[in-house]
Amino acid sequence: NQPGGGHCCDCKPRGFGPEFKCLSAVGLNITTAFEHVRGPKYNVIQKYTKEYGAGAAVVLRLCEAAGLQGSNRLVVADSCFGGIRLPQELMMIGLHNISNINCGSAGFCKTQLQEKLMGADVERGAHAIATGKING
C-alpha cells in the first residue's frame, strides 16, 4: 500500500481490446487514415513489419493508405513509432519526418553521444546534436 490509500502491483496493465492508429492532416483538421491493431500475433503478418519493425510499419501503411507518397509533407511521430529506419524510408517516398528516436534503436549513435557528453569538462545541461546521411 502507498500513502493516500493507493497500492502498487507488480504486473503490467493488460490491453483493453482493439486499438486504432490514425493519421491526421493537421491543417485540414481531419483524420485521413485509420488502422485497426489486433495484437502482436497479427502485426507480424502486416505489410512492412518484417522489414522495418512494427512502429515504422504502421506509419508507412497509414501514409500509403492516405496517398501521401511524394507529397513533400511532414510526418510527426512519437517515440513509439520513431526509429532510425522511419525517417530514411519516409524520405525515400517523398515525405519528411520529425520523431523522437529511442537511444536503444538499432543504428542510433549512443556511444558517440555518450563520449561527447560524459567527459569531466562537460557542463551541466550540455547537449549534442547528431546528424546523419541516408545511403541510397
Side-chain angles (χ1 to χ4, degrees), residues 23-24 68 71-76 90 94-99:
L23 180 76
S24 299
L68 297 181
S71 66
N72 205 30
R73 292 195 178 167
L74 176 65
V75 176
V76 180
L90 288 174
L95 296 169
H96 303 279
N97 178 244
I98 295 175
S99 59

Side-chain angles (χ1 to χ4, degrees), residues 56-116:
V58 168
V59 176
L60 291 168
R61 287 192 303 269
L62 288 171
C63 290
E64 185 176 301
L68 297 181
Q69 300 95 322
S71 66
N72 205 30
R73 292 195 178 167
L74 176 65
V75 176
V76 180
D78 70 10
S79 61
C80 176
F81 303 101
I84 298 295
R85 297 293 304 267
L86 180 61
Q88 293 173 339
E89 295 308 316
L90 288 174
M91 185 171 281
M92 298 297 279
I93 61 170
L95 296 169
H96 303 279
N97 178 244
I98 295 175
S99 59
N100 296 322
I101 299 175
N102 293 326
C103 62
S105 296
F108 185 77
C109 55
K110 183 177 180 178
T111 304
Q112 293 87 343
L113 287 174
Q114 284 177 329
E115 289 171 0
K116 288 268 190 197

